[in-house]
Amino acid sequence: NGDGFGIGWYAERPEPGVYREVMPAWSDDNLLALSGTLRSRLFFAHVRAATAGGIARTNCHPFRHGRWLFMHNGQIGGYPQLRRALVADLPDSFYAARRGATDSELLFLLAMARVDRGADAHEAMLEVLDDTRMLMQQHGIEPPLRFAAALADGERLYAFRIASDDSPPTLYQRDCRHGTVIASEPLDDDEPGWMPLAAGAVVTLHA
């Protein structure tokens, strides 16, 4: 995928660091330098194939809000028809925090608004997905909602594999001596232990 990339990581501060660019990841010397020096207990990494929103740094994942990081593979079916209604659900402070034009960032901020009101993070995200699917049904939208995503606050990580049809984007988990890896595809077919997550799965990892 060549529509931009991003990495996020947790270090000494509660808030994560983020580096995002619109060029292909393989062309960025700064990414190569960072990758050789950064140390973290939790990394996010994303390469983008644009669906909603143009090619811009503000549309590259991962997205950050306070101590939270989020990245997403998939799309909201019929997003242009739903965008106004979904944006209308954002409180003013979260509307002001929106920087890009993607459905991914909007889903993230809708969930963060619920977390801000006291909801558990994974429940907040599932509620946002349920509300979005109901809105799709009300508008008679047939293209599916597909959602493979990761959400973290530095101490907990949630991974989701959900869709409104039978074809959610793939997610795999592998436990190794370095920790746990969750990826959209196995990073190396020669490495044993990659386990596909079931459709509808929500995985929670703790520090």
Side-chain angles (χ1 to χ4, degrees):
N1 297 339
D3 294 335
F5 70 90
I7 59 172
W9 67 95
Y10 290 88
E12 291 82 7
R13 298 180 179 182
E15 296 80 14
V18 170
Y19 178 71
R20 303 185 295 177
E21 257 302 346
V22 295
M23 67 177 64
W26 58 82
S27 300
D28 192 320
D29 291 338
N30 290 323
L31 176 64
L32 187 63
L34 284 170
S35 299
T37 57
L38 284 178
R39 293 181 177 272
S40 176
R41 65 186 182 277
L42 175 57
F43 278 102
F44 273 36
H46 188 275
V47 289
R48 184 168 185 250
T51 53
I55 299 174
R57 186 179 290 112
T58 52
N59 290 336
C60 292
H61 308 220
F63 301 103
R64 174 177 58 185
H65 184 79
R67 70 181 190 277
W68 292 94
L69 280 178
F70 175 78
M71 60 186 179
H72 168 223
N73 180 27
Q75 72 282 323
I76 299 174
Y79 177 61
Q81 298 169 249
L82 304 176
R83 181 168 45 204
R84 172 176 281 189
L86 290 170
V87 170
D89 283 342
L90 277 178
D92 289 345
S93 59
F94 287 88
Y95 181 86
R98 190 174 180 225
R99 296 290 180 263
T102 64
D103 51 355
S104 302
E105 185 187 22
L106 182 52
L107 289 173
F108 172 47
L109 291 176
L110 286 167
M112 289 294 96
R114 295 179 186 234
V115 170
D116 192 58
R117 296 195 294 265
D120 290 333
H122 72 290
E123 293 293 344
M125 185 59 72
L126 293 175
E127 289 172 5
V128 167
L129 296 179
D130 286 342
D131 289 350
T132 302
R133 283 187 284 196
M134 289 179 60
L135 194 60
M136 292 169 66
Q137 292 174 0
Q138 292 169 11
H139 284 73
I141 292 171
E142 294 183 2
L145 168 69
R146 290 180 176 159
F147 188 80
L151 174 70
D153 66 355
E155 297 298 326
R156 297 162 295 166
L157 181 142
Y158 306 101
F160 305 82
R161 185 177 179 234
I162 293 171
S164 60
D165 62 4
D166 296 327
S167 301
T170 56
L171 271 185
Y172 293 82
Q173 179 174 333
R174 180 175 183 264
D175 298 318
C176 59
R177 63 187 181 90
H178 301 295
T180 299
V181 181
I182 294 179
S184 57
E185 300 173 9
L187 301 181
D188 187 340
D189 291 336
D190 294 331
E191 293 178 343
W194 288 103
M195 301 295 295
L197 300 186
V202 180
V203 172
T204 305
L205 302 177
H206 299 274

